[in-house]
Amino acid sequence: MTAMTVQKTPALSVDRLVKSFDVSAPWLNRVVERKPRQYLQAVSDISFEVPLGGCLSLVGESGCGKSTVARLVTGLYRANSGEMRFALGADGKPLSAQMIFQDPYASLNPRWRVKNIIAEPLRELKLRNSAAEINERVVELLKTVGLSASDGDKFPHEFSGGQRQRISIARALASEPRFLVCDEPTSALDVSVQAQVLNLMRRLQDEFGLTYLFISHDMSVVRHMSDRIAVMYLGRIVEEGDTEDLFAKPRHPYTQLLLETIPNVKHPHRDRIVAGGEVPSPLKPPSGCPFHPRCPIATARCSAELPPIRTLAGGTRVACHLVAE
Amino acid sequence: MTSDTSKPGAAQPTTMLQRARGSDVWWSFTHSKSAMIAATVLAVLILTAVFAPLIAPQNPYDAAQLDMWKAELPPVWQEGGEWPYLLGTDTQGRDMLSAILYGTRISIVIGLASVALSLLIGMTAGLVAGFFGGMIENVLMRIGDITLSMPTILIAILVSTVVRQLLPSELREIGASAVLILAISLSAWVQYARTVRAQTIVERNKEYVQAARLLKVPARRILAYHILPNTLTPVLVAATLNFGMAILTEATLSFLGIGMPPGQPSLGTLIRIGNQFLFSGSWWIVLFPVIQLCLLVVVVNILGDWLRDVLNPKLR
Ligand SMILES: Nc1ncnc2c1ncn2[C@@H]1O[C@H](COP(=O)(O)OP(=O)(O)O)[C@@H](O)[C@H]1O
Ligand code: SF4
Ligand SMILES: [Mg+2]
């Protein structure tokens, strides 16, 4: 979509990020039941780059670690290992990321009026000083996201899910970010409303030169939004490439599965993921290639050896033993 | 692209907090007979206590106003009763009605102050434990567990005995109410701490709090502006019920002689004094303070129960 504005320097480059959670039982239970500590590796050795002014999307089934990546990138979680580098902004400081959350009901404080929700970044970051300036900016932001000035006096519960997501976007824009992490911003919304919010986000990207790290489990949403797509499975990236390449020529068997199962005109009612059984538990990931229990073309090597991620000639990266150059 | 077309049902108030706001509470109040009666009685009790100096026929603390010739008079409707001693007098000629009004005043003030102090202790502990977690949470909540493992009244007795011993004797009389407030608060804060901690953990993980953290809002302000207001509803219910509890604890301590001194009698002190005359036939010296105490606690509890039912839809 915004191919012309995408530049070479990445807004964010992420290198071999790892995040595990301690999910051990309480100390007393561990002693009594003689269980060891238990860790859940939600993100394993993930590397990617987000092009400045572009949009990289993370896709994958629920539980594959997308939100964990989002929280690592925004700094809500601290990584166990790995590096993240943000490009420097006009002020010489690294770009800071703001986030738009999945749940439009939990992401706004139910007791605050909308104008105060949107004004919070202005006050906290001291972007505006007088009450009049703050008020003026709030009204401007409300209009930018397609709401009216009088909506500022209402409480969040007076709005629909889509309108709440617009309020979240206005709050994120208030801090004048260059980088936005959008964690399934439309997956809680009706299909008709989804398109409106996605269109708004694309318009804002062009208008303000925003960089997006966009997260979704829905291939059709991702296609609409992204320049590049990274497909995740059980905490790892299994394939990453330009949107058009990935849709035209999916390399990894899991990407192929995802694309085959998009509901379409021929099969409007089919579930998004049907073939190949359940996602394994991230507590006990399969040996070798994590996808091998579901992979239609798996070989003996696949259950023994983890396929490294390789860069192919066209710039696509794939982690699969059987994908030829 | 000015408005979404998603379902209008989404705009309906759904959470407990939203139910609490606006007219829901008022509507349910005006439709609950017991709540309205209890509130009316409580309002009368509080107003007569607050304006006791204007209403009471006598200042029961002023020895000059006591008349030994009028000692142990029965209520006016009894043989030997005399105006203006509506509810009779005690052995020092003190008007029972005046003593009860002033005593209710002391009981209410100590009850309110104890609830306020235990709210302060409990809510601070709960917010800190729930928000920061880890070691500090463990320490605070274990102290709470230990406190809960002892009967409330026992803790109150322990605290008040220890503090009274520490005070110089000339301060004991003056500091009696402060000691009581401290003793009752230290025995009652745990419930608030637990409620607030549980609610804080829920709110802390909500996305609006994470959005505030992304803006680098300091923890102190996140706690004060985002989390605290969302913990207030369950705390309000607990505080109302504990107000009744605090009045009873105060009365028990005073009844046991480690509460308010006879010079500034609370309802509990009046009951203790009157108790000695129960078998001498001067039943009014004990019965009226007992009735007043029961009335006060019962109406407070009725209001607390009603509030809990209104604010917590899960119980219905
Ligand atoms: N705070 C946490 N503590 C323990 N486990 C977590 C936590 N957050 C996520 N997980 C686990 O990490 C895995 C990835 O979760 P998440 O990143 O939310 O996936 P997604 O957003 O792709 O659905 C899941 O198995 C989830 O249960
Ligand atoms: S490595 Fe093997 S199991 Fe994994 S995706 Fe490729 S073929 Fe399938
Ligand atoms: Mg998620």
Side-chain angles (χ1 to χ4, degrees):
Chain A
M1 43 164 289
T2 48
M4 286 183 309
T5 61
V6 175
Q7 290 159 28
K8 280 275 175 284
T9 36
L12 167 69
S13 57
V14 166
D15 199 20
R16 314 206 66 170
L17 214 53
V18 175
K19 174 70 187 174
S20 59
F21 294 106
D22 185 348
V23 290
S24 317
W27 174 79
L28 197 61
N29 298 40
R30 288 207 311 276
V31 173
V32 173
E33 295 164 22
R34 290 168 209 272
K35 278 191 189 151
R37 279 193 166 274
Q38 203 172 23
Y39 295 94
L40 182 154
Q41 187 131 329
V43 169
S44 313
D45 199 11
I46 276 190
S47 306
F48 58 83
E49 287 183 352
V50 187
L52 193 60
C55 174
L56 171 78
S57 289
L58 300 178
V59 277
E61 285 155 290
S62 168
C64 71
K66 305 180 297 292
S67 295
T68 307
V69 173
R71 273 141 211 252
L72 286 167
V73 165
T74 49
L76 287 172
Y77 289 160
R78 196 180 288 264
N80 297 71
S81 66
E83 260 187 75
M84 295 189 303
R85 274 185 311 277
F86 281 96
L88 301 184
D91 55 358
K93 288 191 213 141
L95 302 179
S96 74
Q98 285 299 320
M99 191 158 165
I100 295 168
F101 295 91
Q102 174 173 5
D103 182 352
Y105 292 88
S107 55
L108 305 173
N109 188 335
R111 306 195 143 229
W112 283 28
R113 283 182 202 280
V114 166
K115 62 180 175 195
N116 291 327
I117 292 175
I118 298 175
E120 189 180 25
L122 303 174
R123 298 202 173 102
E124 285 300 329
L125 304 173
K126 304 208 167 40
L127 297 172
R128 293 291 186 281
N129 295 318
S130 70
E133 282 176 331
I134 289 177
N135 208 26
E136 195 180 320
R137 176 74 175 138
V138 167
V139 170
E140 190 185 351
L141 285 163
L142 280 168
K143 292 195 170 140
T144 305
V145 298
L147 295 171
S148 68
S150 61
D151 287 331
D153 288 317
K154 298 182 188 161
F155 286 98
H157 75 261
E158 298 174 58
F159 294 91
S160 68
Q163 290 170 321
R164 283 163 175 247
Q165 230 34 338
R166 288 170 192 268
I167 297 166
S168 289
I169 293 170
R171 171 180 58 191
L173 290 179
S175 66
E176 293 169 19
R178 298 289 310 282
F179 195 109
L180 269 188
V181 177
C182 314
D183 188 359
E184 311 219 24
T186 60
S187 60
L189 308 180
D190 286 358
V191 178
S192 58
V193 182
Q194 272 190 17
Q196 294 174 8
V197 173
L198 291 174
N199 285 333
L200 169 69
M201 294 183 63
R202 282 185 51 166
R203 201 192 79 215
L204 296 175
Q205 180 175 30
D206 292 341
E207 206 166 304
F208 300 109
L210 300 173
T211 302
Y212 284 156
L213 175 61
F214 190 88
I215 292 174
S216 180
H217 62 257
D218 186 336
M219 273 297 198
S220 44
V221 166
V222 159
R223 179 175 211 168
H224 186 75
M225 290 298 294
S226 0
D227 302 302
R228 276 179 87 79
I229 295 175
V231 180
M232 287 183 65
Y233 189 77
L234 272 189
R236 294 174 190 276
I237 291 179
V238 294
E239 177 165 2
E240 196 232 319
D242 285 342
T243 306
E244 291 318 316
D245 295 347
L246 196 111
F247 273 86
K249 201 175 174 206
R251 306 296 192 101
H252 196 281
Y254 180 60
T255 315
Q256 291 166 359
L257 177 75
L258 283 181
L259 290 180
E260 274 166 24
T261 52
I262 296 180
N264 59 21
V265 185
K266 270 191 231 152
H267 307 278
H269 297 299
R270 104 179 136 189
D271 275 349
R272 288 207 176 81
I273 305 286
V274 280
E278 294 288 303
V279 187
S281 157
L283 278 170
K284 289 196 202 87
S287 63
C289 173
F291 189 56
H292 86 255
R294 293 170 75 187
C295 182
I297 56 169
T299 64
R301 186 185 174 199
C302 299
S303 53
E305 203 183 313
L306 178 71
I309 192 154
R310 291 172 300 139
T311 308
L312 306 182
T316 299
R317 298 191 302 150
V318 185
C320 173
H321 293 306
L322 299 192
V323 171
E325 276 300 323
Chain B
M1 215 169 68
T2 44
S3 71
D4 297 321
T5 48
S6 61
K7 33 185 190 303
Q12 292 295 312
T14 47
T15 71
M16 185 173 87
L17 297 166
Q18 286 156 1
R19 298 179 67 93
R21 216 174 19 232
S23 59
D24 273 11
V25 173
W26 183 247
W27 185 91
S28 127
F29 179 75
T30 52
H31 286 72
S32 161
K33 238 182 214 143
S34 59
M36 290 215 294
I37 294 173
T40 313
V41 173
L42 184 64
V44 170
L45 290 180
I46 289 178
L47 286 176
T48 51
V50 168
F51 295 109
L54 303 178
I55 301 168
Q58 190 187 67
N59 178 356
Y61 306 150
D62 183 359
Q65 291 189 22
L66 305 187
D67 184 349
M68 279 310 283
W69 297 110
K70 307 284 186 199
E72 279 195 75
L73 290 178
V76 279
W77 61 87
Q78 295 265 316
E79 177 84 45
E82 233 179 82
W83 281 101
Y85 306 108
L86 183 64
L87 300 180
T89 60
D90 70 2
T91 48
Q92 294 165 39
R94 187 162 24 203
D95 174 44
M96 284 314 296
L97 178 63
S98 306
I100 287 172
L101 292 181
Y102 276 82
T104 308
R105 198 149 92 126
I106 292 181
S107 292
I108 287 177
V109 167
I110 291 182
L112 283 180
S114 325
V115 168
L117 184 60
S118 51
L119 272 174
L120 185 70
I121 301 172
M123 292 183 75
T124 311
L127 280 173
V128 168
F131 191 73
F132 295 104
M135 193 63 189
I136 183 142
E137 177 181 30
N138 267 323
V139 171
L140 287 171
M141 298 326 284
R142 289 307 81 77
I143 295 176
D145 290 345
I146 294 167
T147 312
L148 276 193
S149 69
M150 290 188 270
T152 312
I153 192 71
L154 189 61
I155 297 170
I157 290 174
L158 278 175
V159 174
S160 81
T161 315
V162 170
V163 177
R164 277 153 62 97
Q165 291 309 313
L166 294 177
L167 280 181
S169 52
E170 65 273 17
L171 280 183
R172 272 182 213 162
E173 187 96 337
I174 306 165
S177 49
V179 173
L180 271 175
I181 291 165
L182 185 69
I184 298 169
S185 310
L186 287 181
S187 65
W189 63 276
V190 185
Q191 194 190 350
Y192 304 120
R194 289 190 162 183
T195 311
V196 169
R197 171 179 160 271
Q199 191 71 24
T200 301
I201 291 174
V202 170
E203 298 298 323
R204 179 191 68 184
N205 291 325
K206 284 205 183 144
E207 294 169 341
Y208 74 86
V209 172
Q210 292 171 351
R213 277 157 77 152
L214 284 185
L215 292 171
K216 311 261 184 320
V217 181
R220 168 173 49 83
R221 279 220 287 281
I222 293 185
L223 282 172
Y225 297 143
H226 284 297
I227 294 182
L228 181 70
N230 285 310
T231 65
L232 287 182
T233 312
V235 163
L236 178 68
V237 174
T240 312
L241 291 169
N242 274 350
F243 177 51
M245 245 344 265
I247 291 173
L248 279 185
T249 309
E250 185 279 326
T252 311
L253 291 175
S254 294
F255 182 80
L256 294 174
I258 49 175
M260 294 306 287
Q264 338 160 31
S266 70
L267 289 176
T269 321
L270 291 178
I271 294 169
R272 172 167 65 95
I273 299 168
N275 196 34
Q276 301 157 12
F277 303 99
L278 191 55
F279 297 107
S280 71
S282 307
W283 50 268
W284 57 90
I285 305 182
V286 64
L287 186 66
F288 294 125
V290 167
I291 291 175
Q292 176 83 348
L293 179 67
C294 290
L295 199 60
L296 183 58
V297 174
V298 164
V299 294
V300 167
N301 284 348
I302 289 174
L303 281 177
D305 282 338
W306 165 79
L307 208 53
R308 184 177 54 194
D309 293 348
V310 174
L311 297 182
N312 189 352
K314 272 182 250 146
L315 282 176
R316 283 195 246 182

